[in-house]
Amino acid sequence: MKLIKWGEAGKEKTGVIINDLWYDTSAFGGDYDEAFFENNGLERLAQFVKANEGKLTQISSEERLGSPIGRPSKIVCIGLNYADHARETNAPLPSEPIIFMKSTTSMVGPFDDIIIPKNSVKTDWEVELAVVIGKKASYVDEAEALDYVAGYVLHNDVSEREFQLERNGTWDKGKGCDTFAPLGPFLATQDEIEDVNNLRLWLKVNGETMQDGNTSNFIFNIPFVVSYVSQFMTLLPGDVISTGTPAGVGLGFKPPVFLKEGDVVELGIEGLGVSVQNLKAYVKN
């Protein structure tokens, strides 16, 4: 299945995509959140959709899409998980996954604006494959890790490099700003993706291709990452793990190139759709 959330920000309804058409599933009840995944929601939703075949209300493709999942307990990110990206940022290849957190308040829809933070001059882009956890995971064996995965989603891990790298402390400062985690357009369940370790992912800025990579170049693949993270924290249903970005980020250019007001970022992953974000300057409300 392909799950979507649609409608006004903060008031989104649930839906599914069937044969490229959007359908409302709000009659199913609830949200695509921790409770949904924890209580066998994917199977129950599939049964609901089948039972209502031909009866679901079609949604206009003009409707706004939100993040396809409700706000999770955490967004966990894996740094430097592509060798080419590590090289372009002059970082050594990690011997173990680098883990940092991204604030859940940074999560927005796939076509929502990215707001350049106050005092930011180094806002950057990062196309990433994100994993959505399907059930509580703690000390998971790598061989069983995919049993804990609900599906996959496209993620732009927007980053403010000065906040991240020049302001002391951990990377989190540059990762959790408002609008810095556009997710979607949809959550694809595992059966929708033939080989998650062989997916092309790409990103363009103002129509120019900046990133063009493949998940076959992971340093640490998804089963390893899910297992590894679960050794350090309990993953709850609906939690997100973002698996890193390939080469081509603005920081890696010589000289570096960063996003500015008016820029348009377009990104996609094979089988997970395309998202587009316009850059806007911060304005105090």
Side-chain angles (χ1 to χ4, degrees), residues 60-120:
S60 168
S61 60
E62 298 299 312
E63 290 282 357
R64 171 189 172 271
L65 288 180
S67 162
I69 60 170
R71 184 178 294 178
S73 81
K74 49 189 167 293
I75 301 173
V76 184
C77 297
I78 307 300
L80 304 176
N81 198 24
Y82 290 77
D84 55 1
H85 176 53
R87 285 194 296 268
E88 74 172 346
T89 57
N90 297 313
L93 294 184
S95 58
E96 295 185 44
I98 294 170
I99 296 175
F100 62 90
M101 308 293 282
K102 199 171 181 83
S103 171
T104 59
T105 54
S106 66
M107 194 172 71
V108 291
F111 302 100
D112 290 344
D113 295 335
I114 293 171
I115 306 302
I116 299 172
K118 183 179 180 180
N119 301 320
S120 167

Side-chain angles (χ1 to χ4, degrees), residues 18-172:
I18 303 172
N19 296 325
D20 296 324
L21 299 176
W22 303 358
Y23 292 93
D24 181 19
T25 61
S26 54
F28 175 76
D31 193 1
Y32 298 151
D33 56 8
E34 181 179 343
F36 169 82
F37 292 108
E38 187 174 34
N39 293 290
N40 205 25
L42 288 175
E43 184 175 332
R44 291 188 294 108
L45 179 63
Q47 293 170 352
F48 172 84
V49 170
K50 184 175 181 180
N52 289 276
E53 187 174 358
K55 302 176 186 176
L56 296 175
T57 301
Q58 188 174 336
I59 305 164
S60 168
S61 60
E62 298 299 312
E63 290 282 357
R64 171 189 172 271
L65 288 180
S67 162
I69 60 170
R71 184 178 294 178
S73 81
K74 49 189 167 293
I75 301 173
V76 184
C77 297
I78 307 300
L80 304 176
N81 198 24
Y82 290 77
D84 55 1
H85 176 53
R87 285 194 296 268
E88 74 172 346
T89 57
N90 297 313
L93 294 184
S95 58
E96 295 185 44
I98 294 170
I99 296 175
F100 62 90
M101 308 293 282
K102 199 171 181 83
S103 171
T104 59
T105 54
S106 66
M107 194 172 71
V108 291
F111 302 100
D112 290 344
D113 295 335
I114 293 171
I115 306 302
I116 299 172
K118 183 179 180 180
N119 301 320
S120 167
V121 293
K122 296 183 179 180
T123 294
D124 204 350
W125 58 84
E126 294 189 19
V127 58
E128 302 200 5
L129 170 70
V131 179
V132 178
I133 298 299
K135 59 183 180 180
K136 186 176 180 180
S138 179
Y139 298 110
V140 171
D141 290 336
E142 184 178 350
E144 300 174 350
L146 291 182
D147 295 339
Y148 293 82
V149 172
Y152 306 102
V153 65
L154 172 64
H155 175 216
N156 186 358
D157 176 21
V158 186
S159 308
E160 212 299 341
R161 302 303 189 185
E162 181 183 8
F163 298 177
Q164 176 190 356
L165 302 172
E166 301 173 33
R167 298 286 295 273
N168 295 330
T170 67
W171 289 4
D172 303 61

